[in-house]
Amino acid sequence: MASRLCFNIGFLIVASVGLLHGAYAANTYTVGGDLGWIIPPNSSYYEEWTSQSTFQIGDSFVFNWTTGTHTATEVSTKEEYDNCTKMGIILKDAGVKVTFKDNATHYFLCSEGTHCEQGQKMVIKIGDGIPPSFAAPSLTAVAAALSALFFSTLAIFFLN
Ligand SMILES: *[C@@H]1O[C@H](CO)[C@@H](O)[C@H](O)[C@H]1NC(C)=O
Ligand SMILES: *[C@@H]1O[C@H](CO)[C@@H](O)[C@H](O)[C@H]1NC(C)=O
Ligand SMILES: *[C@@H]1O[C@H](CO)[C@@H](O)[C@H](O)[C@H]1NC(C)=O
Ligand SMILES: *[C@@H]1O[C@H](CO)[C@@H](O)[C@H](O)[C@H]1NC(C)=O
Ligand SMILES: [Cu+2]
């Protein structure tokens, strides 16, 4: 009786985690479309590209470039972004893929030469752009499901 209840609770947790993560079919975007992530033809190019879509939790972005040396550097504030500050988390490899697990606003720029000043910079807003107020660990669906299973198994074990 007790174990069945616990199993059901475990199942409910797994099911709701599945719903939370599965309701939205995540997309993978190639940053800049066919142009990729390079010095753009004009300084509003990436702004125009991002404005074509609304991005959600779970979406991925591929920074693809075939010409020149570039970085996808994430800076932490709008001030640094506006300023083309070339210090941040640097992703160097062409084809690098970034997946976002929370609502937030991310500021990317290229830290090579004056590429940022020439418009190789982009703001990615996930959802409402507001990060969660508490420091929640970004559990993947698999990890959450596994821990739910683990805890329900544990509960069954104790109640038996
Ligand atoms: C920027 O370049 C893109 C691609 O060439 C073009 O579609 C867009 O109209 C340009 N925007 C401005 C403001 O010039
Ligand atoms: C990256 O660019 C190359 C060359 O243009 C292209 O073949 C490849 O499909 C692109 N990758 C993605 C993920 O768009
Ligand atoms: C903006 O750039 C200037 C000049 O490089 C620098 O002195 C200043 O600290 C920068 N501000 C930020 C917020 O990065
Ligand atoms: C993320 O932003 C969307 C709005 O685009 C909102 O509906 C959703 O509740 C937000 N999620 C979280 C976890 O704050
Ligand atoms: Cu560049």
Side-chain angles (χ1 to χ4, degrees):
M1 179 65 188
S3 66
R4 170 175 284 181
L5 181 68
C6 285
F7 176 78
N8 287 342
I9 290 171
F11 176 77
L12 271 178
I13 293 169
V14 173
S16 48
V17 165
L19 267 181
L20 274 175
H21 287 264
Y24 173 73
N27 291 310
T28 298
Y29 295 93
T30 300
V31 169
D34 289 342
L35 188 73
W37 179 242
I38 60 171
I39 301 170
N42 58 59
S43 58
S44 52
Y45 182 85
Y46 289 107
E47 199 183 319
E48 287 168 21
W49 181 77
T50 50
S51 71
Q52 289 165 13
S53 317
T54 47
F55 305 122
Q56 307 287 339
I57 291 171
D59 282 350
S60 299
F61 296 83
V62 177
F63 291 84
N64 198 13
W65 62 86
T66 48
T67 56
T69 304
H70 305 282
T71 69
T73 298
E74 184 172 6
V75 296
S76 37
T77 64
K78 184 175 186 303
E79 288 68 35
E80 291 175 341
Y81 176 82
D82 289 341
N83 216 7
C84 283
T85 302
K86 295 176 184 73
M87 275 166 49
I89 301 162
I90 300 176
L91 308 167
K92 275 194 165 68
D93 298 322
V96 66
K97 182 174 169 180
V98 185
T99 304
F100 297 110
K101 301 235 185 315
D102 286 307
N103 283 351
T105 305
H106 296 274
Y107 301 96
F108 286 97
L109 53 83
C110 177
S111 61
E112 290 291 327
T114 57
H115 296 190
C116 175
E117 286 81 357
Q118 293 176 74
Q120 196 180 359
K121 60 194 318 203
M122 175 182 61
V123 180
I124 293 180
K125 196 170 101 173
I126 304 293
D128 55 16
I130 302 164
S133 49
F134 56 96
S138 334
L139 288 178
T140 65
V142 171
L146 279 178
S147 65
L149 274 177
F150 173 75
F151 283 117
S152 62
T153 310
L154 201 68
I156 290 166
F157 175 79
F158 276 112
L159 283 161
N160 278 348

